[in-house]
């Protein structure tokens, strides 16, 4: 039986910023990332959370950070006790959902890599024959594999929608050398992750990365190739020409699309069945990728 969802952490006296999923505590030169069980869709945080989701996200990110040995990242430790926690910290609640990380200067763009024609990319293609201004061959179907992975950056919004922008916009904002390097790194990580995931029966349709600067050099930060930041499709069910079954939060988006919600007001509460099926999908993605059972 799943435990109740853990939707907000508390560390008395420690400065915190709360994102859609993570609570980030500031310990000076280090941060503590706490992945809660909150889930968001269409830029809204939904109720209730998905039990143990934060632990699954954290452990998948850990798996990838350790796998990509040649690409620097911000992870220092998985043990929150490596930081001077307040005496009343609930260590059991934090277990499995924490990363102690280096503090960096965050690059203000999402580094999106698309390998398949899906989501907003498919809508863009239908309207313009292109994805984020990058022209594609005619006659492509929904969920088709793209001729090559596309790098399509987006602005990082604190509230509201992230906005797709051209690569030139990114270059103008942060400089050509850094933008070129982030595109190269993003496609490299996507290709390595995609090749590995395919061996495990998962198609990595698209994903987004975040980078920070440490001593002027870009390193991977936040989460990497999780069901929150990526589209995971079961390879054995893949059939281009329509939407695909997923092992990610697209399942929740699809349910929301069946309701009368206008996406501009308080979203409907997720039914128990949707909560538990979403949890199962996250656990299945973890097990397929890592070869290990998720024990929570």
């Amino acid at each position: 039986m799943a435990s109740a969802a853990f939707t907000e952490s508390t560390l008395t006296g420690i400065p915190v910023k709360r994102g859609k999923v993570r609570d980030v505590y500031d310990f000076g030169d280090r941060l503590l990332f706490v992945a809660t069980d909150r889930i968001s869709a269409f830029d809204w945080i939904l109720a209730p959370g998905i039990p143990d989701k934060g632990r699954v996200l954290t452990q998948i990110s850990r798996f990838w950070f350790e796998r990509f040995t040649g690409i620097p990242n911000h992870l220092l430790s998985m043990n929150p006790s490596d930081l001077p926690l307040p005496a009343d910290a609930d260590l059991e609640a934090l277990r499995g959902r924490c990363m102690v990380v280096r503090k960096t200067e965050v690059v203000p763009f999402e580094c999106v890599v698309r390998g398949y024609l899906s989501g907003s990319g498919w809508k863009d293609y239908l309207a313009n024959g292109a994805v984020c201004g990058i022209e594609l061959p005619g006659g492509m179907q929904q969920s088709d594999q793209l001729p090559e992975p596309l790098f399509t950056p987006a602005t990082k919004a604190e509230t509201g929608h992230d906005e797709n922008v051209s690569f030139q916009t990114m270059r103008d904002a942060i400089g050509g050398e850094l933008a070129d390097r982030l595109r190269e790194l993003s496609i490299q990580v996507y290709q390595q992750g995609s090749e590995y995931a395919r061996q495990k029966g998962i198609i990595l349709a698209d994903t987004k990365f975040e980078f920070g600067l440490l001593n002027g050099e870009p390193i991977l930060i936040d989460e990497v190739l999780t069901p929150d930041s990526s589209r995971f499709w079961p390879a054995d069910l893949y059939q281009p020409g329509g939407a695909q079954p997923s092992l990610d939060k697209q399942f929740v988006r699809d349910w929301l699309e069946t309701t009368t919600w206008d996406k501009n007001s308080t979203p409907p509460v997720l039914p128990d069945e949707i909560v538990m099926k979403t949890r199962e999908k996250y656990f299945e993605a973890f097990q397929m990728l890592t070869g290990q059972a998720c024990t929570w």
Side-chain angles (χ1 to χ4, degrees):
M1 184 69 181
S3 57
F6 177 79
T7 56
E8 186 169 296
S9 63
T10 302
L11 290 178
T12 307
I14 309 298
V16 61
K17 288 185 177 181
R18 301 190 192 277
K20 292 172 184 172
V21 173
R22 286 166 184 78
D23 297 340
V24 181
Y25 293 89
D26 192 332
F27 286 84
D29 63 339
R30 293 175 292 172
L31 303 174
L32 180 67
F33 275 38
V34 180
T36 71
D37 295 334
R38 298 191 293 266
I39 189 167
S40 68
F42 304 112
D43 298 306
W44 288 83
I45 296 174
L46 308 174
I50 308 298
D52 301 309
K53 169 180 169 284
R55 287 175 165 139
V56 174
L57 296 182
T58 300
Q59 299 307 317
I60 288 179
S61 287
R62 175 189 188 177
F63 170 79
W64 290 115
F65 280 136
E66 292 176 350
R67 183 169 184 82
F68 296 137
T69 55
I71 300 170
N73 65 71
H74 69 163
L75 180 61
L76 293 170
S77 164
M78 303 296 291
N79 185 1
S81 295
D82 288 343
L83 293 168
L85 300 178
D88 61 351
D90 185 348
L91 292 178
E92 179 56 29
L94 297 177
R95 184 172 64 91
R97 59 176 76 250
C98 291
M99 293 191 296
V100 180
V101 304
R102 299 173 178 88
K103 184 187 286 187
T104 68
E105 177 189 348
V106 178
V107 176
F109 288 89
E110 301 274 6
C111 291
V112 180
V113 183
R114 304 172 187 268
Y116 290 74
L117 192 54
S118 185
S120 64
W122 169 241
K123 294 177 182 177
D124 201 1
Y125 177 77
L126 285 178
N128 308 303
V131 174
C132 300
I134 303 170
E135 290 190 15
L136 293 176
M140 294 190 71
Q141 301 182 85
Q142 184 178 6
S143 304
D144 269 347
Q145 186 171 10
L146 296 168
E148 60 182 10
L150 301 182
F151 181 77
T152 60
T155 56
K156 285 169 55 68
E158 291 292 331
T159 58
H161 296 277
D162 294 340
E163 181 183 350
N164 292 335
V165 297
S166 69
F167 181 56
Q168 187 59 50
T169 297
M170 182 181 182
R171 294 183 98 248
D172 292 343
I174 65 173
E177 184 177 351
L178 177 58
D180 291 349
R181 179 62 177 148
L182 293 181
R183 178 171 63 178
E184 176 188 345
L185 282 171
S186 298
I187 292 175
Q188 178 185 348
V189 177
Y190 170 81
Q191 288 177 325
Q192 290 183 19
S194 179
E195 289 169 7
Y196 173 85
R198 192 60 187 254
Q199 294 171 14
K200 300 298 181 180
I202 291 176
I203 291 173
L204 176 58
D206 55 44
T207 194
K208 63 181 179 180
F209 302 112
E210 294 196 40
F211 289 89
L213 300 179
L214 185 67
N215 301 321
E217 293 297 319
I219 67 172
L220 269 174
I221 64 171
D222 200 53
E223 61 182 324
V224 178
L225 300 179
T226 72
D228 265 19
S229 65
S230 316
R231 281 189 173 87
F232 290 154
W233 297 338
D236 60 346
L237 300 177
Y238 174 62
Q239 187 171 354
Q244 304 298 306
S246 70
L247 296 171
D248 53 60
K249 71 175 182 180
Q250 186 62 41
F251 178 74
V252 173
R253 296 190 195 100
D254 290 345
W255 178 80
L256 288 168
E257 294 281 19
T258 69
T259 72
T260 58
W261 180 45
D262 62 5
K263 301 176 186 172
N264 293 309
S265 56
T266 302
V269 172
L270 299 176
D272 289 347
E273 179 185 10
I274 299 299
V275 169
M276 296 315 297
K277 284 188 176 179
T278 302
R279 183 178 186 271
E280 289 169 8
K281 286 176 178 290
Y282 276 60
F283 272 57
E284 185 177 356
F286 174 91
Q287 185 162 355
M288 289 179 71
L289 287 171
T290 68
Q292 301 171 4
C294 201
T295 56
W296 287 287

